[in-house]
Amino acid sequence: MRRSICSAAIVLVALAQSLHAQVSVTLAPTIGYYRPLGHFDAASVYATDLPLTPQGLSGTAIGGAAKAWFGHRFGAEIMASVARSTVPSIFSPEGPTPTTPAQVEMIVAQGMVTVAGNRSGNHLWVSAGPALIRHGGDAYSRYGSSAQPAGAVGAGAQLNVSRHLLATLDLSALMYTFDLPLPQSLRLNPGQLQHGNQTDALIQFGFGWILGN
């Protein structure tokens, strides 16, 4: 995840240097909130170290964003974020289970179109593009840490604080089908361990820098 956002930032900075008059690049660390809105289908087997619902994965999201604006209306962005949560302890026939850390990693690449203002000042935009969602942490690592392709739509705003300093707000909806197969030892049971259509909401606030014009 860190390598992906750093590579994207390097590419966008190189574009800004080669097309100095036409392109501006913004880089910002982000903090926000991740909230799944979907559901898991009923399963034949349940694991005590996994959340019972997608909402159990809600949590603070930390990451970064790199945006490049081409002219005054059109741009592209790459965002990476990690949301961490904890699967709570439950009572089982063997006694209470331990709490288990979980995380959801997201990489989103979107095209942007300005709908108010322009890239040199305060402005609003809408966006859309592909994404990749990976469920991990101790909760999912023993089951393969499933990664799923997704589609993303969003909107955002930029407020210029000074010539090279800005604040951004990004709102994204990530849509995909989550499919976590049963482990090999349980394959005689029907269905999947977790499965369902997902719509994940991601809100990110960034405070970063403007490179180029």
Side-chain angles (χ1 to χ4, degrees):
M1 185 68 68
R2 294 189 186 95
R3 288 195 296 269
S4 296
I5 193 64
C6 288
S7 297
I10 291 169
V11 170
L12 293 180
V13 170
L15 282 173
Q17 291 175 342
S18 62
L19 300 172
H20 182 73
Q22 292 81 26
V23 177
S24 70
V25 172
T26 65
L27 303 175
T30 61
I31 185 170
Y33 187 69
Y34 168 75
R35 175 71 176 181
L37 304 175
H39 70 280
F40 293 143
D41 298 338
S44 60
V45 176
Y46 290 90
T48 59
D49 52 359
L50 294 177
L52 294 177
T53 67
Q55 290 71 39
L57 295 167
S58 302
T60 301
I62 304 294
K67 296 178 172 67
W69 290 99
F70 309 95
H72 294 293
R73 292 197 59 203
F74 300 101
E77 71 174 341
I78 295 180
M79 299 187 297
S81 191
V82 178
R84 291 183 171 86
S85 56
T86 301
V87 179
S89 173
I90 65 171
F91 287 97
S92 70
E94 291 78 24
T97 63
T99 59
T100 310
Q103 65 184 43
V104 179
E105 303 164 0
M106 296 153 277
I107 298 179
V108 183
Q110 299 186 96
M112 302 182 293
V113 179
T114 297
V115 294
N118 61 70
R119 70 108 186 262
S120 61
N122 304 334
H123 60 281
L124 305 174
W125 66 82
V126 294
S127 57
L132 185 67
I133 316 295
R134 179 181 178 272
H135 291 63
D138 291 349
Y140 284 94
S141 60
R142 70 194 68 184
Y143 303 110
S145 297
S146 182
Q148 317 288 335
V153 295
Q158 176 176 305
L159 174 64
N160 286 16
V161 179
S162 67
R163 182 178 178 184
H164 292 289
L165 198 61
L166 57 84
T168 60
L169 179 66
D170 283 277
L171 310 175
S172 301
L174 313 177
M175 294 159 286
Y176 60 101
T177 299
F178 182 61
D179 189 3
L180 184 66
L182 287 163
Q184 191 65 40
S185 60
L186 298 175
R187 290 287 170 84
L188 294 179
N189 295 279
Q192 293 83 27
L193 193 57
Q194 287 184 336
H195 179 85
N197 294 326
Q198 308 299 318
T199 300
D200 297 352
L202 180 63
I203 302 173
Q204 297 181 99
F205 174 76
F207 198 70
W209 303 268
I210 304 172
L211 308 176
N213 291 340

